[in-house]
């Protein structure tokens, strides 16, 4: 089981670093981020202007009920801390809470409502915005 956890962490690192690498080495400076205004679990409304001081903006789509998201959340916390000076990781939950089927909740004690997102962010001590 320990080897499985190590493999999972390595894969998480690979995919997140690939995402960061694409952002770093693309022509990102030629493109503007689309305008957005999203409520975070902290109660703050975030817009693209909040991240102008960061060189890298990484978007991670995750949700409370998703088993894969649950596997990556601690690693995302670690990466957010490691790269806090030059990058910001934004976690966005794309789910509509009432569209989740009961059997999809089998892997989680929390659903995807905004209130449950707040609970997950507090419980897991997210150090990145969860929108």
């Amino acid at each position: 089981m320990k080897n499985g956890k190590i493999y999972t962490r390595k894969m998480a690192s690979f995919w997140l670093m690939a995402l960061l690498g694409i952002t770093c080495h693309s022509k990102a400076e030629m493109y503007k981020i689309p305008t957005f205004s999203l409520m975070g679990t902290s109660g703050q409304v975030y817009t693209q202007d909040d991240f102008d001081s960061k060189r890298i903006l990484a978007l991670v789509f995750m949700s409370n009920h998703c088993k894969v998201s649950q596997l990556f959340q601690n690693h995302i916390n670690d990466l957010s801390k490691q790269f806090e000076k030059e990058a910001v990781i934004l976690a966005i939950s794309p789910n509509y809470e009432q569209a989740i089927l009961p059997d999809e909740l089998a892997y989680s004690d929390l659903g995807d409502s905004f209130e449950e997102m707040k609970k997950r962010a507090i419980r897991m001590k997210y150090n990145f915005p969860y929108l």
Side-chain angles (χ1 to χ4, degrees), residues 9 16 72-84 89 127-128:
R9 287 182 185 217
L16 192 55
F72 289 105
Q73 62 192 350
N74 288 331
H75 197 64
I76 294 170
N77 254 351
D78 294 344
L79 288 170
S80 179
K81 182 69 174 164
Q82 183 178 352
F83 294 104
E84 67 186 338
I89 297 173
N127 58 10
F128 51 86

Side-chain angles (χ1 to χ4, degrees), residues 57-77:
L57 176 62
L59 300 178
V60 176
F61 292 91
M62 57 187 258
S63 59
N64 286 347
H65 85 278
C66 177
K67 184 177 181 179
V68 175
S69 293
Q70 292 172 28
L71 289 172
F72 289 105
Q73 62 192 350
N74 288 331
H75 197 64
I76 294 170
N77 254 351

Side-chain angles (χ1 to χ4, degrees), residues 35-117:
T35 302
F36 68 88
S37 178
L38 296 170
M39 176 66 74
T41 56
S42 65
Q44 178 181 343
V45 175
Y46 292 90
T47 69
Q48 67 283 359
D49 297 334
D50 294 320
F51 309 105
D52 284 343
S53 65
K54 298 295 183 177
R55 194 170 68 88
I56 299 169
L57 176 62
L59 300 178
V60 176
F61 292 91
M62 57 187 258
S63 59
N64 286 347
H65 85 278
C66 177
K67 184 177 181 179
V68 175
S69 293
Q70 292 172 28
L71 289 172
F72 289 105
Q73 62 192 350
N74 288 331
H75 197 64
I76 294 170
N77 254 351
D78 294 344
L79 288 170
S80 179
K81 182 69 174 164
Q82 183 178 352
F83 294 104
E84 67 186 338
K85 292 185 185 202
E86 66 261 358
V88 65
I89 297 173
L90 290 182
I92 299 173
S93 178
N95 293 333
Y96 176 60
E97 66 178 299
Q98 295 175 347
I100 306 300
L101 298 173
D103 62 331
E104 291 178 304
L105 294 172
Y107 300 108
S108 181
D109 59 335
L110 296 171
D112 288 335
S113 72
F114 189 67
E115 290 304 313
E116 290 169 306
M117 287 171 59

